[in-house]
Amino acid sequence: MALELWWGSGSPYSWRALLALEHKRLPYVSHMVQFAKQEHRSPQMLQMNPRGRVPVLKDGDYVVFESLAILRYLDRKYPDVPLFGTTAEEEGTITRVICEYQSYAEDHLAKLIYAILFQGVEGHMEEIERALNFVIAEARTIENRLSTSSWLVGESFSAADIVVFPGIQQLLRVLERREAEDLRARLLPLETNFPAIAAWIKRVEALPGYEKTYPPHWKEKE
């Protein structure tokens, strides 16, 4: 039976699952969930994931959700084109980089994006500045790593790249909004302030199958 993936356009967690499936060249049935229609809260979705969130991956009778769990499952079940390296040392480093991103960047990134999209900049500048400072500090850490390597860990695209990439892309898109005009100069232009990250983004975008993972509703607004 074919793999099935339920995902939402613009969800960085869904994007991770899509990137993993495409990179591993695994055939799958795609089910795009419409957030506006609350399809992620449908009885079918809640039966698979009681939390009502995407992505959700179904492989035969087995269902797994949470993006990192999906990456782990795919790598164990379908080890060709590994996501977590080929040695214990590579897996340890890839997992560590993911943990660093989750511990020191992801929450601040989410707060920054949420504030710009839904709260508005006015009246929330103190919170936004704090989150932005953390994000910039972690961006420098990522920049330093990529200045000596093509990918976040070694010379192969891995789960570390898959986890970090969608969040950075989402932030860059949010910074294009009029409300974020005064914040842009702190990070942009990326080619000047973070050239290694800019080059890394281009490498990811050049990967086979990348276009299939790009959020459809972003294309409609470009």
Side-chain angles (χ1 to χ4, degrees), residues 59-121:
D59 188 3
D61 294 328
Y62 179 69
V63 174
V64 57
F65 52 89
E66 297 296 333
S67 61
L68 192 54
I70 289 172
L71 299 190
R72 287 284 189 186
Y73 171 76
L74 289 173
D75 222 33
R76 184 66 177 266
K77 187 69 179 286
Y78 306 99
D80 289 344
V81 192
L83 301 178
F84 288 87
T86 57
T87 67
E89 290 77 11
E90 285 178 341
E91 180 170 0
T93 304
I94 290 166
T95 302
R96 192 204 80 219
V97 170
I98 290 172
C99 289
E100 285 183 297
Y101 175 76
Q102 291 178 321
S103 298
Y104 307 117
E106 193 166 37
D107 186 51
H108 300 293
L109 194 65
K111 286 179 180 177
L112 182 57
I113 290 169
Y114 182 83
I116 295 171
L117 286 179
F118 302 110
Q119 290 180 319
V121 175

Side-chain angles (χ1 to χ4, degrees), residues 136-150:
I136 290 173
E138 288 309 307
R140 291 194 182 111
T141 298
I142 294 170
E143 176 73 13
N144 289 337
R145 179 170 285 279
L146 289 169
S147 66
T148 59
S149 176
S150 297

Side-chain angles (χ1 to χ4, degrees), residues 185-200:
R186 303 279 295 278
L187 286 164
L188 305 179
L190 206 63
E191 290 77 8
T192 300
N193 295 332
F194 299 95
I197 292 178
W200 168 71

Side-chain angles (χ1 to χ4, degrees), residues 3 11 28 45 54 57 84 125 157 164 196 203 215 217 222:
L3 290 162
S11 158
Y28 63 98
M45 290 301 303
V54 291
L57 180 76
F84 288 87
M125 277 307 299
F157 183 70
V164 175
R203 283 194 290 275
H217 81 281
E222 290 178 347

Side-chain angles (χ1 to χ4, degrees), residues 123-215:
H124 298 278
M125 277 307 299
E126 184 176 345
E127 178 184 354
I128 289 174
E129 280 288 338
R130 184 172 183 274
L132 184 60
N133 286 336
F134 276 105
V135 168
I136 290 173
E138 288 309 307
R140 291 194 182 111
T141 298
I142 294 170
E143 176 73 13
N144 289 337
R145 179 170 285 279
L146 289 169
S147 66
T148 59
S149 176
S150 297
W151 304 103
L152 284 175
V153 178
E155 296 305 312
S156 297
F157 183 70
S158 74
D161 303 286
I162 287 172
V163 168
V164 175
F165 177 82
I168 290 180
Q169 284 290 67
Q170 189 178 40
L171 175 62
L172 293 175
R173 187 168 182 85
V174 168
L175 287 174
E176 295 174 1
R177 297 174 68 94
R178 178 181 53 81
E179 301 93 321
E181 184 175 359
D182 293 336
L183 303 174
R184 281 188 212 123
R186 303 279 295 278
L187 286 164
L188 305 179
L190 206 63
E191 290 77 8
T192 300
N193 295 332
F194 299 95
I197 292 178
W200 168 71
I201 288 173
K202 290 181 180 178
R203 283 194 290 275
V204 176
E205 292 174 337
L207 290 171
Y210 171 80
E211 280 301 318
K212 295 179 183 177
T213 75
Y214 193 79

